[in-house]
Amino acid sequence: MLNWSWVERGIESFVMVAAGGSSNERWRRCVALAVTALAGLALAVALVVSSRSGCLTLPWCREKRRHPLTRKEWNNFSRDGKLRGGGMKFLEKVRSGGVDPSIRAEVWPFLLGVYDMNSSGAERNAIREQRRKEYEKLRRRCHQSADEDDKSSSTDETESSDSQSSTGEPTMANPAAEDFATWQRIIRLDAIRSDAEWIPYSPRQAAVPEAEALRLASAVGLTDYGDMEPCRIYHAARLVAVLEAYALHDPEIGYCQGMSDLLSPILAVMEVDDEAFWCFVGFMKRARHNFRLDQAGIQRQLQVVSKLIKLRDADLYQHLEKLQAEDCAFAYRMVLVALRRELTFEQTLCLWEVMWADQAAVRAGYRRRTRSAPPTDDLLLYAIAACVLQRRKAIMERFNSVAEIQKEFNNIAGQLDIWKLLDDAQDMVAALHDKIE
């Protein structure tokens, strides 16, 4: 950051000399103009120096500005309907700056594995049509399962003869009707409770007509929406439709609270339900382990966060040990819903798409280049560890119990600088990747 002391001293000296040298009012106005000009010049210098260092260190510009993937760059990365070079440069760009909001709906299916990086336009059209039919089939099964809930126990068992999906991949047997009914009740409760933070980021959905919102709510059996605005009814109905379909798609996991937090931002970006569904499926390929009943997936990730803190800051780790917090259980929610409740809506989208780009790069076999951080499947965990390390001083000096630490992290929503967090996370990836993975 620029040292302002020399500027202040220069202005002060100039004012004293000039003001003392004449009593003429015109001269005083000239002095005032000169001082103003000098101050403006100093501010301009500060802006240039700070921006060249990558951050405008001003009160109204808290976060480092990044250059996301733009429409022009996105078009340049593709030729004849295929991504150039297997999409490696495209992924590098997203990993460094995220995606411009105007093209997220086009880019996210690549990041989430819905489309292969080497697919052609014709292949993607065929995949899109096939996946649409699969989603419609799942929605029909949702209606059938709901109907079966009203039947006697002798007819509760669903047929398991349909063991092949339309893609030829094996699927699990349908869940019992009582399981689906339980998931359905929880899904509808969570859908109604979903926040409205997405509204400014999806103007077309925000302006949905009331008749359309009520039609969709009726189609999925959503009735307890009270006096909610039409756009929120519409969003809640979409949550119900996609989450019910996912529960049947992955009956081992079904539905657990927290999954709606992961889906809501995807629905805000992807305006077509079947496309949103398959993006969610791509996200859940890794996140599904967070919702296992044995919690093995969550525990593994918390162990990684703990190990990162231990390797990065031994003193902080020892303090956590004294408080019996070295297992990082206070970060449970951060892992469960991928920092969704600790970040603003836009920050969440930025983190997730950078995280997805890392995972896509791993799938594509991308490796470390020069001194940059290699891609990792666990960028989220590095970001969570970075979040803890950024609060080192408070933890070391102020907190004397696990409860105090938990309270701190339950109340940090909106206080994080997402790009600083990602910088710190990627620094840790570069330094510790080989010791963790």
Side-chain angles (χ1 to χ4, degrees):
M1 182 176 177
L2 183 66
N3 186 343
W4 286 87
S5 60
W6 67 272
V7 177
E8 293 168 350
R9 288 196 300 271
I11 293 174
E12 182 180 3
S13 300
F14 182 60
V15 170
M16 290 178 65
V17 171
S22 173
S23 61
N24 187 279
E25 185 63 28
R26 186 170 57 183
W27 171 248
R28 289 181 183 275
R29 287 198 298 268
C30 290
V31 169
L33 288 172
V35 170
T36 302
L38 183 57
L41 178 61
L43 178 60
V45 170
L47 288 171
V48 171
V49 172
S50 297
S51 62
R52 286 180 178 176
S53 67
C55 181
L56 296 178
T57 50
L58 297 170
W60 62 85
C61 185
R62 181 166 171 257
E63 295 191 358
K64 179 181 292 186
R65 294 190 179 276
R66 294 288 186 90
H67 298 290
L69 175 72
T70 64
R71 164 69 65 184
K72 182 177 180 181
E73 290 170 321
W74 174 237
N75 291 338
N76 288 339
F77 281 136
S78 62
R79 183 175 63 181
D80 300 328
K82 297 186 70 172
L83 292 175
R84 298 175 186 265
M88 289 300 101
K89 289 186 177 179
F90 147 64
L91 290 177
E92 285 182 18
K93 180 64 180 178
V94 178
R95 289 180 67 217
S96 68
V99 181
D100 186 89
S102 65
I103 56 172
R104 277 175 171 151
E106 298 175 43
V107 173
W108 281 13
F110 287 91
L111 300 181
L112 289 163
V114 178
Y115 301 139
D116 188 271
M117 291 291 173
N118 294 305
S119 62
S120 66
E123 289 170 336
R124 291 194 295 276
N125 287 336
I127 290 170
R128 190 179 300 113
E129 180 62 18
Q130 176 182 320
R131 295 287 175 84
R132 182 185 63 79
K133 292 178 180 178
E134 286 194 46
Y135 176 74
E136 289 176 351
K137 182 178 179 180
L138 284 167
R139 285 302 308 156
R140 287 195 295 271
R141 287 176 55 197
C142 288
H143 290 298
Q144 292 168 0
S145 295
D147 292 340
E148 288 175 359
D149 187 41
D150 296 328
K151 296 180 181 179
S152 64
S153 57
S154 62
T155 58
D156 277 342
E157 294 185 2
T158 57
E159 295 182 3
S160 60
S161 59
D162 184 15
S163 60
Q164 297 287 322
S165 71
S166 62
T167 59
E169 297 176 352
T171 62
M172 297 183 64
N174 290 345
E178 60 266 23
D179 291 336
F180 182 78
T182 299
W183 296 333
Q184 195 174 53
R185 284 192 293 271
I186 302 172
I187 288 170
R188 291 177 181 179
L189 286 172
D190 287 353
I192 294 297
R193 295 171 184 155
S194 63
D195 63 57
E197 201 177 351
W198 61 272
I199 292 176
Y201 300 89
S202 187
R204 279 191 289 188
Q205 294 185 67
V208 66
E210 183 177 9
E212 175 63 15
L214 296 179
R215 183 200 64 76
L216 184 58
S218 176
V220 299
L222 183 66
T223 58
D224 298 330
Y225 44 76
D227 58 354
M228 287 170 57
E229 304 94 327
C231 63
R232 294 192 64 190
I233 297 173
Y234 183 76
H235 188 74
R238 293 189 70 204
L239 282 169
V240 170
V242 174
L243 289 170
E244 284 183 354
Y246 184 82
L248 293 182
H249 173 78
D250 186 1
E252 182 184 6
I253 300 299
Y255 177 77
C256 297
Q257 287 184 312
M259 289 167 61
S260 60
D261 290 274
L262 302 183
L263 175 59
S264 183
I266 293 176
L267 289 182
V269 171
M270 309 299 297
E271 297 186 346
V272 180
D273 281 5
D274 61 275
E275 294 177 2
F277 172 80
W278 289 109
C279 283
F280 184 62
V281 168
F283 192 4
M284 287 295 292
K285 282 181 180 178
R286 289 191 60 81
R288 69 187 296 276
H289 300 294
N290 295 354
F291 301 97
R292 295 179 63 92
L293 292 177
D294 60 11
Q295 297 194 339
I298 287 280
Q299 293 304 321
R300 182 200 73 80
Q301 292 175 86
L302 290 175
Q303 288 170 6
V304 173
V305 173
S306 176
K307 186 174 182 180
L308 287 169
I309 295 170
K310 183 177 183 179
L311 290 171
R312 196 69 165 179
D313 192 331
D315 291 340
L316 175 59
Y317 184 81
Q318 288 177 3
H319 184 70
L320 292 175
E321 281 186 313
K322 290 179 183 178
L323 303 181
Q324 297 183 327
E326 74 278 8
D327 60 359
C328 294
F330 56 84
Y332 182 94
R333 187 182 74 178
M334 298 187 217
V335 174
L336 181 69
V337 292
L339 285 171
R340 174 66 192 94
R341 298 184 187 178
E342 287 71 33
L343 300 173
T344 65
F345 190 86
E346 178 60 25
Q347 287 177 330
T348 299
L349 303 188
C350 292
L351 170 67
W352 287 4
E353 59 200 10
V354 171
M355 175 180 75
W356 295 336
D358 252 40
Q359 293 168 356
V362 171
R363 291 195 303 270
Y366 176 83
R367 292 293 180 266
R368 182 199 303 259
R369 292 185 182 180
T370 64
R371 296 187 297 263
S372 63
T376 172
D377 281 328
D378 290 326
L379 183 62
L380 171 67
L381 306 184
Y382 287 89
I384 292 171
C387 180
V388 177
L389 290 164
Q390 287 179 2
R391 275 151 179 73
R392 179 188 197 277
K393 184 175 180 180
I395 294 172
M396 296 281 287
E397 297 179 3
R398 289 169 37 208
F399 302 148
N400 297 303
S401 69
V402 177
E404 290 178 321
I405 297 175
Q406 186 72 68
K407 183 178 179 181
E408 170 73 8
F409 286 102
N410 284 346
N411 294 301
I412 62 172
Q415 299 178 31
L416 297 173
D417 180 331
I418 185 58
W419 295 115
K420 176 66 167 64
L421 194 67
L422 281 168
D423 278 345
D424 290 352
Q426 289 167 343
D427 285 346
M428 273 197 287
V429 173
L432 303 176
H433 180 269
D434 293 336
K435 297 179 181 179
I436 296 295
E437 303 186 22

